[in-house]
Amino acid sequence: MRFLSILSLILLVTLSCKQETKTAQKSDNEPIIPFSEVEIEFLHQDSTSIRAIEVTEDAVMYAGSDGHYGIYKLNLTNTKTTDADIASQYEVANKGRIDFLGNNPSFRSIASTSKAFYILSIGNPALLYRYDKESNAVTLVYTEQNEKVFYDAMTFWNDNEGIAVGDSLDGCLSIIITRDGGLSWGKLACSSLPNQIASEGAFAASNTNIKTIGDKTWIITGGGTSRVYYSGDKGRSWNIYNTPVAQGKSTLGAYTMDFYDENRGIIYGGDYEQAQDNNDNIAITANGGKDWNVIASGANDGYKSCVQYVPNSNGQEIIASGFTGISYSKDGGESWSQISDAPFLSFRFANDSIAYAGGRNALAKLTFKRNTIN
């Protein structure tokens, strides 16, 4: 939603990390050693506001304000840890700046395949670019012109099929899909989508209001109404599930969503204008999003714009972040503690302790550290 472009003026940092690791999955009976702090290491700091990050096994890809994008190749064999040496752990593979008819678009959505990564702008016109990882060529693969167009999030099911979601046009959500590896994109007709309720939209907060696992897809909406759009066949058909989170005005509702597996999921939000309000802003599902139950109402740290399960935690450990700081749950969302005041907005785990972060004037690595056992 558009109000988040105003919010970016007061936000300092955006996070992003991916759930990939070689660490063994925790068993149900294995005790959790909880996170206690977050260490922040900056890869670079400049004038770019980075709001979209994708993390793969060997690279961090980002896109942000004023048309900027780039790739950092990860060189994690370098063990230097002083502030002066942090940058030497990473190789800048490429940086660029996109100009479209004399204007530099603002990017908030990013996704990748094995061959390319894709960046999608907000506002009119919508611009979706493909960056070829081998040739470094940048190609405009989709445009859409409408004074109300505003895309919020994007992801891929596999190397060939991907999806992006945006605010309502003509009475339904804007959903575009590719079936040819991102070379071309087509928009779903409103006749193939559920009718949208007035003032229902999606927040461009952290590229986390869409989630895919296998062929399954979940989209969370917010604002006047917070509902879940679910597809079990990669966007060919859709069902609607209601949620019990607080909703009813443009700044209120579910901002972010994650699923640990096909059954267990969480939605998190609140009201960014009343960030300390912590009532009915978190809900979980155990049956793939069909039913949701509010948890920790009145007993959490308020509005957050991004939520993610910690990899290999059996769905018990969760991190949520926003401009009010970083919060942590070790019991599936039933209770929360704030472990940092850093105002990160969006994140993805690289493994079960490391994340890469971007935000206003910064790109950073975050290391979540656990309590030691006496």
Side-chain angles (χ1 to χ4, degrees), residues 259-339:
F259 274 77
Y260 188 79
D261 54 32
E262 292 184 352
N263 293 312
R264 292 176 289 178
I266 184 169
I267 54 178
Y268 204 128
D271 187 342
Y272 93 98
E273 289 186 334
Q274 300 180 36
Q276 301 308 313
D277 187 350
N278 60 1
N279 293 308
D280 297 338
N281 60 323
I282 307 173
I284 59 173
T285 182
N287 61 1
K290 295 178 182 178
D291 300 293
W292 296 86
N293 296 310
V294 169
I295 59 172
S297 182
N300 63 78
D301 298 314
Y303 163 82
K304 302 295 179 186
S305 57
C306 184
V307 67
Q308 295 283 277
Y309 284 98
V310 178
N312 304 312
S313 67
N314 197 33
Q316 293 304 295
E317 293 184 281
I318 308 169
I319 294 288
S321 66
F323 65 83
T324 56
I326 301 173
S327 294
Y328 167 64
S329 174
K330 63 179 182 179
D331 55 11
E334 295 290 345
S335 64
W336 296 84
S337 61
Q338 185 145 315
I339 59 174

Side-chain angles (χ1 to χ4, degrees), residues 42 80-89:
F42 290 100
K80 297 178 181 179
T81 57
T82 65
D83 290 343
D85 292 329
I86 289 300
S88 67
Q89 298 182 29

